[in-house]
Each structure stands twice: as C-alpha cells, then as structure tokens.
Amino acid sequence: MAHALHLLPPLVKHGQSSELLNSGQTLYAALSPRNSSGVAFVANTEAPQKAVNGHVESIEQQPVYFFGVYPHMSPDRRLFITDTFKIFAGIQRHIEEDEKGWTGLRQFCIDHINFIRECWSHMSKPDRDTSIDGPYDCDHYSILCSCFYLFLVLFLAEFGYDRGPIGEDLMDWLNRHFIEPSTEEGDQLSSLGKPWEDDAFWPYLTRTILRGLSKASQFFLNTLSQHPVVDLQELSSKVSVLVRDQPRLSTFSSEREFNVSFRKWRDRVMAVRIEMDKVPDEDRVDDMDNWWDRLSDIVGILEGRDDVLKRVCEELGADWKEVCAAWGIFVDPGLRRQELGTLWNIYLQMPEDIEDAIHAAMFTHDLEAMLERAAQLDPWLSAHMVQFLDPLYEGFDIPKDDGLSYRQHYILDYAGYLQSDNSLWSETTEYMFTCGRVGVGRADELLLRVALTIVPPDQTQAMQEDEADPREGEVNVMLRQLSEKCRDHDREPTRRAILKIAAQTLVRAKRFGIAISYYLSAEDWPGLGYAVDRILDVYVESGAREFTTTAFQITPSLPALTQNSGVFSHRLLFVRHREAAMLLVSILERDIAPNAWKAVLLVDSMEYLHGTTLLYSSQDATRLLQRLEEISLFINSSPSSSLEYLHLLARLKGGERDALLCLKALRLSLARYFALAYQQPNSM
C-alpha cells in the first residue's frame, strides 16, 4: 500500500502545506466501502453558506479528487492474480487434508515459481504495450521470481536435504537470477586470438571461477596454454584440472563421501599453491599485467581463503549474495541453512534495496522482517509466502495484539489490495474466508456490497429463448454466484441479506415476479408484503390494463407462497383475482382483499351493473350491497376507519368527497339493478 498519495493538480506547492491550514481550509477524505478507492476534497473549516432555492450551498466551489489507494490493475496483472489463486486454493486444501502439510508444499511452491516465470517471460516481449503495466512490469516479476526461488531453497528444500549443505543451491539460485559475467562479454573474449591481452580477461575469468561456471573457466584457462610465459602455461593447466575435478555434493550419494573427496581435492589445491610460490618474483609479470597476482587470487578462492574471497568480490563489484554463495562453495562447503544468519552477522550489513532486504531477511531467518518487506514490494508476495510458513513454523497461527495471526494479517492485507478491482470479488472473499472470524466478517461485508446488475427488461425475452427454464433468463448471473459462494461457506444469513437487496432492486425496476421469488427464498415476509403493496400501487398509478400485466408476473410464485408465507398468501391471491372483473364478488366474499381495496372493488363493479344484461345473480348483487353497507358503516363510525377504507379510492377519484359520491352512485346502480332484475325474474 502506498504511504503517500500525490494529488494532481497540487493544491499548494511542495513544503507549503501549512498555508492551506492558515487559510482556514482543511482536507477531507473518505474511502469507499466497496473497494480501495476514495475521494478527497478541500473545505473551509467554517465555510460561509447561503440558501439557493431552498438548498444550502457553499459559496466557494472546491475541487474534488478521486483516487485509488493501489495502482490500476492491468489485464496481465489480473490474470496473474486469478491463476495464482488456484495454486493458493490447492495449498489450502492440501493443508486441511494433511495436518503437517509438508509433503506437497514444495511442489506448490515450484508451481508458483513456474507461473511467475511465465509472466516474466510474457512481460519481456518487445512488442507488448508496457504503458498499462504500472509498477508491475517485467522487472517486478523478475524480483518476485528471485524472492520465491530463494524462499524455496531456504525454507522448502527437498525432503532429507533441509539439514544438508546449502552452498550449491545458493549458487544455483544466484546464477539463475543474477547472471554474471555476461554472455556477451564471454563471446567477445572468446573471439580474440589472445584474450589475455584484453583488460576484461582476468576479471571475467575470476568471476567464472567465483560463480562455479566450470566450463567457461576451463575454456579461458586453456587459452593460457598459448601464453608466452611458460610458468603461466603450466600453472593454468593445473588450475583448469582442479576446476574440472572440484567435487559437487549433488554427485555423491552421501555427505560423508563428499567431505572425503573435497579434502583430497583441497590438498591438490595446496600443492598448486606451493608450486606457485616457487615462481621467482621477476617472472611473475608479463607485458600486460601481474599474471601471478591474478592467478593467485583464483587459487586463493579455490583454497577457501575468506579474506581473498571478500577482497576479490569487492574488486569485481560482487554483492553480499555472491559472497554468501561462494562462501558455501569454497570457504565452508558444509555451510547449513541454519548457519547463514551467523555468517551474515559477522561479515555483512543490511542492504537498503527492497529486493536485497527481502533476500537478507531470508538469509538471517528473520521471518517478520521478510514478510514486512515482501508486503512493501507486493502484497501478493507476503500473502503467498506466509501461507507456506503457517504449517511449517509454530506461532504463525497465534493471534497478536491486533487479534490477527501473521498469516491472517498478510492475507487480509492482500485481500484489501484485491478489493481495488471489483471483478475479483470471488477470489477476494476466498482469501478472506481462510482468515478466521475476522476474515469471515470481512467477506460477508464484501459480499453484501458486490454490485448487482439487473438484466434490462428488453433483454429478458432474448435470454429466455436460450434457457430451458423460461424464468432462468431473469436470474441475475452475479446473484447466482453470490448465492453459491454463501452456500459453499455456510453463510446463510449473508445469502438472505443479498437476496433481500436484490429483491428491493428488482421491485424498484418493477420486476415483481422474480423479486417475490427472492423474498421467498430469503424468507423476508415484511419485504414480501412491501412488494405486494407495490404491485397494488400499479393499479392506482397505471390503471387496470398495466395492473393485469404486472399481476401475471407473480403466477409462478403462488404455489411456493401458499406453502411457506401464510400471512401474505391472501394478499397475493387477491392480486391474481383482479385479472378478471367477474371475480369481484368472490374476492369480496372470501375477504382476501385489503380493507383499502374493498371500496375500490365495489366501485369497479358498477360497470357490470349497467346495461340490459344481468351479469350477477340476486345473491351476488345482495352480497355487493351488504359489503357496501359494511364499508359505509365503518366510514361513518370514526375518522380512522374512514381513512383505512377510503384513502385508496380517494387517491383514484381525486379526493374524499369524490370517493363518497362514487359510493352513493354505486348504491343507486344497485337499486337500478334490483329494479331491472324484478322486471326480468327469469334472468337472475
């Protein structure tokens, strides 16, 4: 995470920030609860205000800065994150199945390294557009690779080799990631007829010896067989044989055999030293240089003389990493991983470079410093390192002062970084779910804030044509994924809360059918009642035709509603009965309509009371009259009852007075209907 954010254009000049405060202004900032973005703005500490059209506004307008705590995530970076998450998930499953977690951890670490290398190779392509990489460029992945490979060497050695000598492994790591001397320099020297005449010859040859590059060393030592100095010809030939025959631990079946062979080889080196000392002083210099001193440095390295090794490394510009690796090859071939810290404390100083600092912390086995520096370089690195350390070292799962263990702290820190990209919500929550109670709580909050994109109505039909279930097209893909995530981690309360949020959004979009199914799944009965009330409002706001179309949406939900909801089933049944006006009497008789709608239904029945055709039987007409008398009685009994039974009809007709006139008109229509029925006794 960045420790400072620089706003553009700057508010004040560098070093003059106090002027902002002296002017009576201050800087405010707020972070988004959904991701790591934020907003910053300047405001007066006592801003003068004025009223404009009833609204209070600041007289002085100030700029608003939108910012991200983390750099923008490029497509390559996003791909790197999603692919390495699969390895993280595999490690998590492995640890849960194997309590010690050692058996396959090394292979998982190698998987990380291989994928980092692939990204490194991809980012190195010359035809790539590097302008979108930001800080995560080719060099960044090179550093990640060097750090993770050293982590493999020092903490996840092959089974049985974790207590063995470390020198050859360190040198292999060094030669893989910090190539010296360069291939181009070697090609140039090898093309010369007399390479020893070039100023770069002896430094190049010494560096190949130091790095254990035996083939290159032998090649250039053999070129000295053409040197005009006979002593140099003979000595270089013997040194070449020593380089060729230097024992390597990897070629022996046991460390004991290696030690015996190495002591014998070291005796041969001492013999060459004795022979070198016999060369007269006047013969130790040729026309170009003091060849004896140069060759003496090489023999001194083979002898394992620490003073020569450190001096030569300093002269060649080699850093502490090369000193440590060469130390384990020449000075102390039995150097163990556990002894690297002692070597560091005696001979070396802590580097300032972030990459070197991570390497140094690994050498000294300072795990806290290693993770802290790794997090500064890239939160990805610290999160995926600590996942390996947790099963290997005790104490990494013990909560600290902040209530989090080392593992939880760095994984949650990385998850916070992932929140800068909303498309990574699934991976982010998976990391959080591995971090105990605190992580689960953060995952719940993130899941509740994932943006839900409701499918527009004009796209629904096209989606339905491609789906076996005609309602599947209306199910938001994101919502299904969120529900599956909650079920996978047994987060039923969170799932229900998400469904409630989605249902509310759908109700506002008048997608009542799918909204009601979500309310049912969430068992949110108050929310279901709210949705039904909004459906009834459609009749008031848009009329009967639109209401009928809307009411048809809820048909698939009725069976489930009847079985589960109880209290709201009658209200939904009322909505469906409104599709046909001929069922008005049945609705009123069964008493399934809300009180506010009874007066509306009675007034609507007037259109069926007119005309010469008698649509209602005498019993049905009598029931309508009875309901009218009941409502009139309630309306006249108290103001509260009048409001309960009359307010909806008053909204439709333009006021309470007009609503009462409609009820009087209904009474007259019923009287006319009974008179007409008396004249046509056989028609009812």
Side-chain angles (χ1 to χ4, degrees):
M1 178 183 293
H3 294 285
L5 295 173
H6 301 281
L7 304 179
L8 293 176
L11 294 171
V12 293
K13 295 181 179 180
H14 180 68
Q16 300 180 4
S17 58
S18 59
E19 295 182 2
L20 184 67
L21 184 60
N22 295 335
S23 66
Q25 294 181 316
T26 185
L27 185 67
Y28 292 91
L31 292 176
S32 168
R34 179 175 294 171
N35 53 39
S36 58
S37 64
V39 61
F41 57 94
V42 175
N44 296 326
T45 53
E46 296 181 358
Q49 297 179 338
K50 63 178 181 178
V52 179
N53 297 327
H55 299 284
V56 177
E57 297 183 357
S58 174
I59 295 179
E60 183 179 359
Q61 294 184 349
Q62 296 287 1
V64 176
Y65 296 88
F66 295 92
F67 62 86
V69 177
Y70 295 100
H72 174 72
M73 198 173 294
S74 68
D76 289 324
R77 176 68 173 177
R78 192 178 297 110
L79 178 63
F80 172 78
I81 287 171
T82 55
D83 284 354
T84 52
F85 163 72
K86 298 174 184 176
I87 303 175
F88 176 91
I91 298 172
Q92 195 65 27
R93 289 191 298 269
H94 174 80
I95 294 175
E96 292 173 356
E97 294 170 0
D98 182 355
E99 185 175 343
K100 293 184 177 179
W102 174 272
T103 309
L105 287 181
R106 177 178 170 83
Q107 184 56 51
F108 283 118
C109 188
I110 294 173
D111 291 341
H112 272 311
I113 294 169
N114 289 338
F115 192 79
I116 296 172
R117 281 177 177 166
E118 290 181 12
C119 292
W120 180 11
S121 176
H122 170 71
M123 304 289 281
S124 302
K125 293 180 179 178
D127 56 344
R128 282 190 67 259
D129 179 13
T130 59
S131 61
I132 62 174
D133 291 342
Y136 304 115
D137 55 8
C138 173
D139 292 338
H140 180 80
Y141 288 98
S142 172
I143 296 174
L144 289 184
C145 193
S146 73
C147 291
F148 232 108
Y149 198 100
L150 182 61
F151 183 84
L152 174 72
V153 169
L154 296 180
F155 297 96
L156 288 167
E158 291 187 48
F159 184 76
Y161 288 85
D162 54 312
R163 296 284 179 178
I166 188 65
E168 292 183 18
D169 290 337
L170 286 180
M171 188 60 74
D172 176 68
W173 164 75
L174 187 69
N175 287 330
R176 285 175 181 268
H177 299 93
F178 304 94
I179 299 175
E180 289 290 345
S182 67
T183 304
E184 294 77 12
E185 190 176 5
D187 293 340
Q188 181 182 356
L189 289 173
S190 62
S191 65
L192 301 177
K194 298 179 180 180
W196 59 83
E197 295 181 353
D198 193 292
D199 292 340
F201 174 78
W202 284 106
Y204 184 90
L205 175 58
T206 306
R207 198 67 173 269
T208 60
I209 295 290
L210 198 65
R211 288 294 191 105
L213 305 175
S214 58
K215 291 185 178 180
S217 301
Q218 291 177 65
F219 174 83
F220 287 103
L221 284 169
N222 291 336
T223 62
L224 293 175
S225 62
Q226 306 298 321
H227 197 279
V229 177
V230 177
D231 289 335
L232 179 55
Q233 294 178 16
E234 295 176 353
L235 290 171
S236 63
S237 176
K238 294 179 180 181
V239 172
S240 178
V241 174
L242 289 175
V243 171
R244 182 197 66 192
D245 295 342
Q246 182 177 359
R248 304 291 180 181
L249 178 62
S250 56
T251 61
F252 291 88
S253 59
S254 68
E255 185 180 351
R256 179 179 178 279
E257 293 178 2
F258 165 74
N259 290 332
V260 172
S261 179
F262 191 86
R263 283 194 295 269
K264 292 180 179 179
W265 175 82
R266 185 61 63 80
D267 291 339
R268 293 167 57 192
V269 176
M270 295 301 298
V272 173
R273 167 61 68 184
I274 294 172
E275 189 171 347
M276 282 188 66
D277 291 341
K278 295 179 180 179
V279 177
D281 291 344
E282 61 273 14
D283 295 337
R284 297 181 178 183
V285 180
D286 58 12
D287 296 336
M288 302 298 300
D289 201 350
N290 188 321
W291 65 263
W292 192 94
D293 286 346
R294 299 289 194 175
L295 190 63
S296 178
D297 287 342
I298 293 175
V299 175
I301 293 173
L302 298 180
E303 288 178 305
R305 293 171 55 185
D306 58 345
D307 57 330
V308 174
L309 177 64
K310 292 188 64 177
R311 176 178 56 79
V312 169
C313 286
E314 184 177 352
E315 292 174 353
L316 294 176
D319 64 4
W320 65 271
K321 298 187 292 293
E322 199 155 348
V323 173
C324 289
W327 196 282
I329 296 293
F330 301 105
V331 178
D332 183 7
L335 182 68
R336 263 60 174 176
R337 291 166 175 78
Q338 296 76 14
E339 299 169 346
L340 287 174
T342 304
L343 172 64
W344 174 273
N345 294 331
I346 295 176
Y347 294 100
L348 304 170
Q349 297 179 350
M350 182 63 69
E352 297 181 0
D353 177 76
I354 184 66
E355 180 183 14
D356 268 3
I358 296 173
H359 296 157
M362 292 188 197
F363 271 70
T364 57
H365 218 72
D366 189 346
L367 303 183
E368 294 184 30
M370 177 191 73
L371 294 172
E372 181 180 354
R373 295 300 183 93
Q376 294 173 9
L377 173 67
D378 189 338
W380 178 92
L381 182 61
S382 56
H384 291 80
M385 280 183 171
V386 77
Q387 188 188 24
F388 289 100
L389 295 176
D390 186 39
L392 297 179
Y393 295 92
E394 295 182 0
F396 270 79
D397 58 347
I398 299 176
K400 305 303 176 184
D401 295 338
D402 59 356
L404 298 174
S405 66
Y406 284 115
R407 180 188 182 281
Q408 293 171 346
H409 171 79
Y410 287 105
I411 290 181
L412 288 176
D413 181 55
Y414 176 60
Y417 160 70
L418 294 184
Q419 284 186 259
S420 62
D421 191 315
N422 294 332
S423 66
L424 297 174
W425 65 267
S426 179
E427 291 81 2
T428 304
T429 53
E430 287 296 333
Y431 281 103
M432 291 176 172
F433 276 128
T434 67
C435 295
R437 178 179 54 82
V438 176
V440 170
R442 294 188 185 182
D444 285 345
E445 292 299 319
L446 177 58
L447 290 172
L448 291 173
R449 288 171 171 80
V450 173
L452 298 176
T453 304
I454 303 301
V455 179
D458 58 348
Q459 296 181 14
T460 302
Q461 184 175 0
M463 293 179 63
Q464 288 177 351
E465 294 175 356
D466 298 330
E467 301 287 348
D469 185 347
R471 304 188 69 213
E472 183 66 16
E474 295 198 34
V475 179
N476 184 272
V477 175
M478 182 72 74
L479 190 61
R480 292 204 306 270
Q481 294 174 348
L482 289 168
S483 296
E484 291 172 1
K485 183 75 67 177
C486 292
R487 289 192 179 98
D488 290 342
H489 296 279
D490 195 23
R491 306 305 301 160
E492 181 61 18
T494 305
R495 187 190 71 86
R496 293 185 178 184
I498 294 170
L499 289 174
K500 292 178 185 178
I501 295 171
Q504 292 167 4
T505 305
L506 287 163
V507 167
R508 288 193 293 269
K510 296 186 177 181
R511 304 279 296 282
F512 296 107
I514 194 68
I516 286 176
S517 69
Y518 288 164
Y519 277 127
L520 287 172
S521 181
E523 298 183 8
D524 180 13
W525 311 128
L528 179 62
Y530 169 79
V532 173
D533 289 340
R534 299 292 74 75
I535 296 174
L536 297 176
D537 286 344
V538 173
Y539 179 84
V540 179
E541 298 170 358
S542 305
R545 183 181 298 274
E546 181 66 24
F547 174 79
T548 302
T549 303
T550 302
F552 185 74
Q553 296 181 24
I554 67 173
T555 301
S557 299
L558 287 177
L561 181 70
T562 304
Q563 297 174 5
N564 298 316
S565 63
V567 67
F568 292 106
S569 60
H570 281 71
R571 192 179 296 184
L572 271 182
L573 287 171
F574 162 70
V575 173
R576 291 294 296 128
H577 275 65
R578 277 291 300 149
E579 289 182 24
M582 293 299 295
L583 296 175
L584 285 172
V585 176
S586 175
I587 294 173
L588 292 169
E589 181 66 22
R590 296 172 62 185
D591 200 24
I592 63 175
N595 289 337
W597 279 84
K598 291 178 179 178
V600 176
L601 294 175
L602 286 171
V603 172
D604 282 353
S605 69
M606 280 196 298
E607 64 179 289
Y608 303 108
L609 297 173
H610 298 161
T612 58
T613 303
L614 302 179
L615 300 178
Y616 293 116
S617 65
S618 59
Q619 294 87 350
D620 290 341
T622 302
R623 292 189 184 99
L624 290 176
L625 181 59
Q626 290 174 346
R627 291 300 183 188
L628 177 60
E629 293 295 337
E630 291 175 4
I631 292 175
S632 299
L633 180 62
F634 278 115
I635 291 174
N636 296 326
S637 64
S638 66
S640 60
S641 296
S642 175
L643 180 64
E644 179 182 358
Y645 282 87
L646 205 60
H647 76 91
L648 189 56
L649 183 61
R651 286 179 56 191
L652 288 170
K653 301 303 180 181
E656 184 175 348
R657 179 176 178 276
D658 292 333
L660 291 172
L661 289 176
C662 288
L663 293 179
K664 290 180 179 180
L666 173 62
R667 188 180 297 276
L668 292 174
S669 296
L670 284 170
R672 176 185 174 280
Y673 190 86
F674 281 115
L676 183 62
Y678 182 78
Q679 297 174 3
Q680 304 176 20
N682 296 327
S683 62
M684 295 183 66

